[in-house]
Amino acid sequence: MAHWFVSHGRDEFPRWREAFPAARLVSAADAKLLAMPGDAVWIMDDTPQWPSLAMPLGQRGVIVVIMSLAPSGHDALQALQAGARGYLHALAKPALMEQAALVTQNQGIWVPADLMGRVLGATYQALGGEPRLPSDELSALTERERDVALAVARGKSNKEVARHLDITERTVKAHLGAVFRKLGVRDRMQLVLRLGQHAEVS
Amino acid sequence: MAHWFVSHGRDEFPRWREAFPAARLVSAADAKLLAMPGDAVWIMDDTPQWPSLAMPLGQRGVIVVIMSLAPSGHDALQALQAGARGYLHALAKPALMEQAALVTQNQGIWVPADLMGRVLGATYQALGGEPRLPSDELSALTERERDVALAVARGKSNKEVARHLDITERTVKAHLGAVFRKLGVRDRMQLVLRLGQHAEVS
DNA sequence: TCGTTACTTGTCCATCGGTACAATACCCAG
DNA sequence: CTGGGTATTGTACCGATGGACAAGTAACGA
């Protein structure tokens, strides 16, 4: 199985060579001619009309991976839609690139974990899935935990919440810890992002 | 790495045993207790509230794969959105299940190729490709400060932002301090409350 | 009565987050 | 050339945060 790299710029990407010493850097036109089914073609997203290059390759059974210096959820979705099986940062560690190669060669899809959530969330909701109602989230909490969660979601510090609810800061932490556990978030930032639009209550 | 199977029905799934002889069939409750990060939990979609089971497991680093006797694009998206890393037919060939295991263990996503194409094709159009312009708030920031601000607004920690932008945590703090000063906010909580809706950009 | 749940508070500690004191380097306009 | 803006990194300090480990009270149902 051969590896081909397509990049518009003249930039050198030593990580590519490190991960795949036998790979060749080719033009977009050459990639179309040279890549055989089962081969892997790594395309930098600075390549003009890269979706138009990825699509026919993907349909021919070529494994296409799009690489970007500035990955975004939108581009990841576009890449997958264009037939790419992977999307990752152009400066990813060689070990990560090899992992992506392994995954894509086995019919898997490789997308950075942080992009996954947003891509899928947007996709799922676009298809009419439940937008994950905050009220559902909150129903799992006790009344006191809900008070604390909503206050924190409005940007209050533990100390401020404690004053507002007339309890000690330690108790706020206790409730907050329960909230984190029940909602499966790791800190108050994640909580704000999940309950963000629900921050209108006093 | 251990394999766990969760199924509501009493059905036997000989393919499971064939692909993973050392695997154990457990209840949903036991799966929560027994599965460790790195383990794989295979959940039949006849399990009541399987998304609620998949979500905490996935967040704990457990590899979750949803299996169905009647796969659909909608369910596949719901599975992935719930934190599952794979979705496949319950009667898939053992070789295919092993392939799915390999892919998911390497941070990949495994979804039947035909489902992926249909689902993504439909959604990309529904989402429409809008590049999302920089807002008024962000126009006062330098490019680097914007990168940091948007990453933080997505809930990233300073350490994560540093890794993402390939700079030290100290530099992240420097940029973030400038962001706070320019936008007139006190901390990252206020920042996420102000930029919350712009958390889509990379 | 006993077990469970919710609510409350305590101490200790590791880590994170934000700031104040810097410094070095690059680029660009004047 | 020189100053200003940007990007980068360093050390040090300290408050904020979150978890570990406990424990007390009150209410409610079996």
Side-chain angles (χ1 to χ4, degrees):
Chain A
M1 201 213 63
H3 284 267
W4 310 93
F5 290 141
V6 178
S7 174
H8 181 243
R10 283 288 180 279
D11 301 331
E12 286 298 323
F13 292 97
R15 310 247 196 195
W16 291 6
R17 297 250 164 267
E18 199 173 331
F20 311 104
R24 284 186 52 193
L25 179 60
V26 294
S27 68
D30 287 346
K32 273 190 184 176
L33 298 174
L34 295 171
M36 303 297 295
D39 287 359
V41 177
W42 305 69
I43 306 176
M44 276 295 296
D45 72 345
D46 63 359
T47 305
Q49 283 88 37
W50 59 262
S52 304
L53 171 62
M55 200 165 308
L57 288 174
Q59 281 165 349
R60 269 169 45 203
V62 176
I63 297 166
V64 177
V65 179
I66 304 299
M67 313 186 69
S68 173
L69 285 171
S72 76
H74 173 270
D75 287 351
L77 191 56
Q78 187 178 18
L80 294 178
Q81 204 272 333
R85 300 210 64 83
Y87 182 81
L88 80 165
H89 199 288
L91 298 182
K93 296 197 186 84
L96 209 62
M97 302 183 63
E98 288 165 8
Q99 191 179 48
L102 173 67
V103 165
T104 53
Q105 281 161 28
N106 284 278
Q107 309 304 315
I109 295 164
W110 208 100
V111 173
D114 58 330
L115 286 185
M116 267 286 298
R118 276 179 297 141
V119 169
L120 292 173
T123 310
Y124 183 63
Q125 291 179 24
L127 284 188
E130 309 286 324
R132 183 179 305 285
L133 266 297
S135 41
D136 292 346
E137 306 275 20
L138 296 176
S139 65
L141 306 179
T142 69
E143 182 180 353
R144 215 53 169 160
E145 288 164 357
R146 205 158 35 232
D147 293 339
V148 173
L150 288 175
V152 168
R154 296 208 322 274
K156 303 296 183 185
S157 69
N158 288 346
K159 204 182 297 282
E160 289 170 323
V161 176
R163 266 198 302 270
H164 180 246
L165 297 181
D166 196 31
I167 52 181
T168 65
E169 190 176 344
R170 178 62 190 87
T171 308
V172 173
K173 289 185 179 184
H175 290 313
L176 206 45
V179 170
F180 293 158
R181 183 170 40 78
K182 289 183 178 179
L183 297 188
V185 298
R186 68 176 173 191
D187 55 30
R188 61 208 299 113
M189 289 295 289
Q190 307 285 331
L191 182 64
V192 158
L193 291 175
R194 182 169 295 195
L195 301 184
Q197 61 275 42
H198 227 249
E200 73 285 324
V201 199
S202 128
Chain B
M1 199 213 64
H3 285 267
W4 310 93
F5 290 140
V6 178
S7 174
H8 181 241
R10 284 286 181 279
D11 300 332
E12 285 298 323
F13 291 96
R15 308 248 196 194
W16 290 6
R17 297 248 164 269
E18 196 174 335
F20 309 104
R24 283 185 54 193
L25 178 59
V26 295
S27 68
D30 287 346
K32 273 192 185 177
L33 298 175
L34 296 172
M36 304 297 295
D39 286 0
V41 177
W42 305 71
I43 305 176
M44 275 298 295
D45 71 345
D46 63 358
T47 305
Q49 283 90 39
W50 59 261
S52 304
L53 171 62
M55 199 167 310
L57 288 175
Q59 280 163 351
R60 267 170 45 203
V62 176
I63 297 165
V64 177
V65 179
I66 305 298
M67 313 186 69
S68 174
L69 285 171
S72 76
H74 176 271
D75 287 352
L77 273 178
Q78 187 178 19
L80 296 177
Q81 212 266 338
R85 300 210 64 85
Y87 182 80
L88 78 164
H89 200 289
L91 299 181
K93 295 198 187 82
L96 209 61
M97 301 183 62
E98 288 166 8
Q99 191 181 47
L102 173 67
V103 165
T104 52
Q105 281 161 30
N106 284 278
Q107 309 305 315
I109 301 161
W110 208 99
V111 172
D114 55 337
L115 280 185
M116 200 39 141
R118 285 211 311 267
V119 162
L120 286 176
T123 45
Y124 183 68
Q125 320 242 331
L127 291 179
E130 81 274 41
R132 176 88 53 172
L133 301 176
S135 80
D136 300 340
E137 301 278 4
L138 300 176
S139 63
L141 307 178
T142 69
E143 182 181 353
R144 213 52 170 160
E145 290 163 357
R146 207 157 34 230
D147 293 339
V148 173
L150 289 175
V152 167
R154 293 210 321 272
K156 300 297 181 186
S157 69
N158 288 346
K159 201 183 295 284
E160 288 171 323
V161 176
R163 265 199 301 271
H164 177 59
L165 298 181
D166 196 31
I167 54 181
T168 65
E169 190 175 344
R170 177 64 190 85
T171 308
V172 173
K173 288 185 176 184
H175 290 313
L176 205 45
V179 170
F180 292 158
R181 183 172 39 79
K182 288 183 178 178
L183 296 188
V185 297
R186 288 189 305 103
D187 53 27
R188 62 209 295 115
M189 291 293 289
Q190 308 293 326
L191 180 65
V192 73
L193 288 176
R194 179 170 298 191
L195 300 184
Q197 71 282 10
H198 289 60
E200 173 62 25
V201 200
S202 144

